[in-house]
Amino acid sequence: MIPLLPIALINTYWFALPLILAISLVYAASRHEEWPRILRHAARLFVMITGILVLATAILLAINTQV
Amino acid sequence: MDRPNPDLIPLKNRSKAAALALIWPGLGHLYQGRYAKGILYLICIFGLYAVGFALGEGANVYWTWVNPLRDAEHFRLYYLGQFWVGLPAWPALLQATLVHLGHQPILDGFMAAPLLEPGMNDEVRGVMEKVVNHAFSLHQKYGGLKEVGDIYTTIAGLLNVLAIYDAFEGPADRANPSAQASSSTDATAKAEEIGR
């Protein structure tokens, strides 16, 4: 196996981005056949999922720092 | 002369396409001639699975033949998602079956569940101890990355369910007439009507 130690130093939050990108593209591709539609839908979904996650993280962080 | 209608998506043999999509992400679409989508699914789904698999050094895709109601701790819930990636995840089924039947897992325990049972014979136990030690060493080496790998591989499998559905039924957006799908026979019949 390839050593992964340098990857272990990356904050795990960054691993969410490729995951969200893959989810957005595959979901959009399963909805449409034309590429402009797929890409537009995927971009919208990517922004929406990322936004919700950032918001949820911010709320949880705010609560945690007050406890 | 009959001309193919570009608005219709030829799904060819839909069951065959769905089966191919289940065997390997994107394969069903390549069979249907939907090459760009096939490559997109291959990169996104198989790529996600491959990265997740590498993050867990192959120790995060495994199955155990246990009853989840009796032994919830050893039941591998993630594999219910990972299974749908197809062939790349199926060796885990073979290894679990071999171990369940008391045989030694093949390929030095690759994709075997890291579990030691009291009833295992010495040969099987020798291989399984290596598998267990490898799985535990991952946490020490990479911390939470194994869990990221679990999530990547599981989500990849679940995304392939969407791809299988797309191969069988065509794109889900039926409101757009250009996204309408049909079987090859329907496509030919409609193309004939338009040609008249």
Side-chain angles (χ1 to χ4, degrees):
Chain A
M1 283 283 174
I2 303 160
L4 293 171
L5 279 173
I7 297 175
L9 302 174
I10 303 170
N11 191 317
T12 45
Y13 281 106
W14 290 111
F15 286 93
L17 290 178
L19 183 66
I20 298 168
L21 184 68
I23 290 171
S24 306
L25 281 169
V26 172
Y27 180 77
S30 74
R31 302 283 305 177
H32 310 284
E33 198 65 20
E34 303 86 2
W35 279 96
R37 277 172 175 269
I38 291 173
L39 295 176
R40 267 203 309 275
H41 193 158
R44 258 200 335 265
L45 202 56
F46 182 88
V47 171
M48 197 176 79
I49 296 173
T50 311
I52 290 170
L53 285 180
V54 168
L55 187 70
T57 308
I59 291 169
L60 289 173
L61 261 178
I63 294 168
N64 274 5
T65 48
Q66 299 304 312
V67 175
Chain B
M1 189 182 153
D2 292 340
R3 285 193 310 177
N5 186 346
D7 288 345
L8 297 169
I9 303 153
L11 299 177
K12 292 194 182 174
N13 183 333
R14 301 190 312 165
S15 306
K16 194 175 170 184
L20 287 170
L22 171 64
I23 289 171
W24 201 278
L27 200 59
H29 291 78
L30 295 177
Y31 158 74
Q32 289 172 326
R34 299 156 82 189
Y35 298 110
K37 256 192 172 184
I39 291 165
L40 175 83
Y41 287 138
L42 184 68
I43 292 170
C44 288
I45 297 171
F46 181 68
L48 199 62
Y49 176 83
V51 172
F53 192 80
L55 288 174
E57 286 194 1
N60 53 0
V61 181
Y62 61 85
W63 174 244
T64 50
W65 289 113
V66 295
N67 184 340
L69 299 176
R70 289 192 196 144
D71 189 4
E73 191 191 342
H74 292 137
F75 181 72
R76 183 66 176 166
L77 190 64
Y78 286 119
Y79 193 73
L80 297 184
Q82 292 163 343
F83 170 84
W84 296 99
V85 172
L87 214 51
W90 291 348
L93 275 181
L94 175 69
Q95 297 287 42
T97 308
L98 285 172
V99 172
H100 185 70
L101 297 175
H103 299 294
Q104 191 174 328
I106 55 170
L107 302 169
D108 212 20
F110 175 69
M111 291 175 87
L115 291 175
L116 286 171
E117 302 284 349
M120 281 176 173
N121 66 43
D122 289 345
E123 258 183 290
V124 178
R125 181 169 285 275
V127 176
M128 294 312 289
E129 274 175 354
K130 275 194 256 175
V131 175
V132 171
N133 289 338
H134 177 235
F136 279 104
S137 72
L138 289 176
H139 279 284
Q140 291 169 338
K141 275 198 280 186
Y142 307 128
L145 281 190
K146 188 187 166 290
E147 278 74 30
V148 173
D150 287 344
I151 293 166
Y152 271 28
T153 48
T154 307
I155 298 290
L158 296 175
L159 288 177
N160 203 36
V161 175
L162 288 177
I164 294 165
Y165 178 80
D166 185 29
F168 185 75
E169 203 64 52
D173 186 6
R174 300 287 174 148
N176 171 21
S178 63
Q180 290 283 331
S182 71
S183 66
S184 57
T185 45
D186 289 348
T188 314
K190 286 186 181 175
E192 277 173 6
E193 275 180 28
I194 292 162
R196 278 177 201 151

